[in-house]
Amino acid sequence: MSEYFLLPLASLPFPNIDPVIVRIGPLAVHWYGVGYIVGILFAWWYAKRLVTNSALWPDGKLPMKPEDLDDFIVWAAIGVVLGGRTGYVLFYDLPRYIAHPLDIFAVWQGGMSFHGGLLGVILAMTLFSLKRGIHTWTLFDVVAAGVPVGLGLVRVANFINSELWGRPSDVPWAIEFPNGGPFTRHPSQLYEALLEGLVLFLVLRFLTHSRMKLRTPRFVGGAFICGYGLSRIFVEFFREPDQQLGYLLGTNWLTMGMILSTPMVLAGIWAMATAKPVSQPQAI
C-alpha cells in the first residue's frame, strides 16, 4: 500500500466547473464575461484609490479628479472589447473572417486578443486624456496598476472553459482537459493567471507604494507592458499554439503570442529607461 503513494501522479483531474454561472431563461452568465467585468471594475476602483492618495504624488498634488475615472471606464470598456476583437480577427484568424465576415460580430463564440485590447485601451486613454487635459502617461500608469487582476481572472476563466490549454506534458500537475485530446497537458492558463495576474500586480504595487514610481510618469506603465510581455513569452513555451496558426517560421517553438509580446518588452524597457520624475504632471 505504501508503494502506491510513492508512484508518480499521472495527472490531476480536471474540475468540471460549468462555464455558465447561472441561466435565466435565454440569458446565460459566463465566468469569462464576469472575469472581464470584474477586472474592469477593479481597475477602475483601484485607479481611483491611487489618484486620491496624495502621498503617492509629487508635492501631494493629485493628477486628476476621481470623476475623470468614472467617465473613463466607459471608454476603457469600449477600447477593450473593440480592440480585443479586432486584434483577434487580424492577428489570429483573418482568413476565416474574410470568408465569413458576419462571424466578426459573433463575440459569444469567443476570440479576444489581449494585444488588440491593449491597443484599443491605449487609443482610448490617449483620446480621453487629451480631451480632459490629463497627462497621458499618468493615466496609463494608474490604469495599468490594477489591470493584472482582471488578466488573472480571465485566465482562470479560460481554464474553467477548457480552452487555451498547454502543450502535452507528464509533469505531476498535468491535466487531461476534456477537449484536449488523449493527452495530459500543462495548465498554462493557470501559469498565466499567476504571472500576468498575481505576480505582476504585486510588482506594480511595490513600484507604486514602496518605490513611489507614480511620481515618475510612464515608469509604472512601462513596467506593466514589459512585465506582461515577459510573462506571456515565458508561458508560450508551455502553451499550445492556436490550431489555425501553429508554430511560425518552420519552428517548433515560435508562436504568434511571442511575436506580439516582444515589442511590448522593448517598449516597456524604453518607457522605464526614459521616465523622469517631474514636480507635477502636466497635460500633453
Side-chain angles (χ1 to χ4, degrees):
M1 185 68 177
S2 60
E3 289 80 2
Y4 173 81
F5 291 102
L6 295 176
L7 291 175
L9 183 63
S11 66
L12 296 176
F14 180 78
N16 286 318
I17 303 174
D18 192 337
V20 178
I21 302 174
V22 63
R23 289 182 175 87
I24 305 175
L27 177 65
V29 180
H30 294 254
W31 288 107
Y32 188 75
V34 169
Y36 266 99
I37 293 172
V38 173
I40 291 174
L41 291 178
F42 177 85
W44 163 70
W45 171 82
Y46 191 68
K48 291 184 68 172
R49 298 267 301 182
L50 295 178
V51 301
T52 54
N53 186 347
S54 60
L56 301 177
W57 302 98
D59 303 322
K61 297 179 180 178
L62 303 180
M64 66 192 78
K65 300 176 182 178
E67 293 77 13
D68 291 324
L69 293 169
D70 294 340
D71 297 335
F72 176 68
I73 190 172
V74 177
W75 293 57
I78 295 173
V80 167
V81 174
L82 293 183
R85 186 60 171 173
T86 302
Y88 183 82
V89 170
L90 295 178
F91 301 147
Y92 288 95
D93 211 356
L94 183 58
R96 170 196 167 189
Y97 292 106
I98 290 178
H100 306 282
L102 292 180
D103 287 354
I104 294 175
F105 305 100
V107 294
W108 56 87
Q109 296 178 359
M112 295 286 283
S113 163
F114 168 81
H115 300 89
L118 176 64
L119 292 175
V121 172
I122 289 176
L123 177 60
M125 283 190 291
T126 302
L127 295 176
F128 183 84
S129 61
L130 292 174
K131 180 179 176 63
R132 292 295 179 93
I134 300 170
H135 192 288
T136 302
W137 276 108
T138 296
L139 180 60
F140 191 13
D141 290 341
V142 297
V143 171
V147 167
V149 171
L151 296 181
L153 292 175
V154 170
R155 292 309 181 192
V156 172
N158 290 146
F159 178 79
I160 293 174
N161 289 347
S162 185
E163 60 188 5
L164 306 182
W165 16 255
R167 306 182 191 188
S169 173
D170 59 357
V171 295
W173 55 88
I175 291 178
E176 185 174 342
F177 290 91
N179 57 344
F183 309 105
T184 57
R185 297 177 176 274
H186 283 287
S188 57
Q189 313 97 320
L190 300 183
Y191 301 171
E192 291 189 82
L194 177 64
L195 292 176
E196 301 168 10
L198 178 61
V199 172
L200 186 53
F201 175 76
L202 293 177
V203 169
L204 297 181
R205 174 78 179 186
F206 172 75
L207 292 176
T208 57
H209 287 72
S210 295
R211 303 301 298 172
M212 309 303 289
K213 286 299 184 180
L214 288 174
R215 301 179 181 181
T216 307
R218 78 166 167 258
F219 193 95
V220 175
F224 166 74
I225 295 175
C226 181
Y228 176 87
L230 290 174
S231 299
R232 180 66 181 268
I233 290 172
F234 175 76
V235 175
E236 286 288 315
F237 284 102
F238 304 95
R239 174 175 165 175
E240 186 85 2
D242 292 77
Q243 185 176 8
Q244 69 273 15
L245 291 178
Y247 297 106
L248 306 180
L249 302 180
T251 69
N252 63 352
W253 60 272
L254 184 65
T255 67
M256 179 62 76
M258 293 178 179
I259 290 177
L260 294 176
S261 297
T262 299
M264 293 183 64
V265 175
L266 299 177
I269 292 173
W270 167 83
M272 290 186 289
T274 59
K276 297 179 180 179
V278 295
S279 58
Q280 183 180 3
Q282 299 294 322
I284 61 172

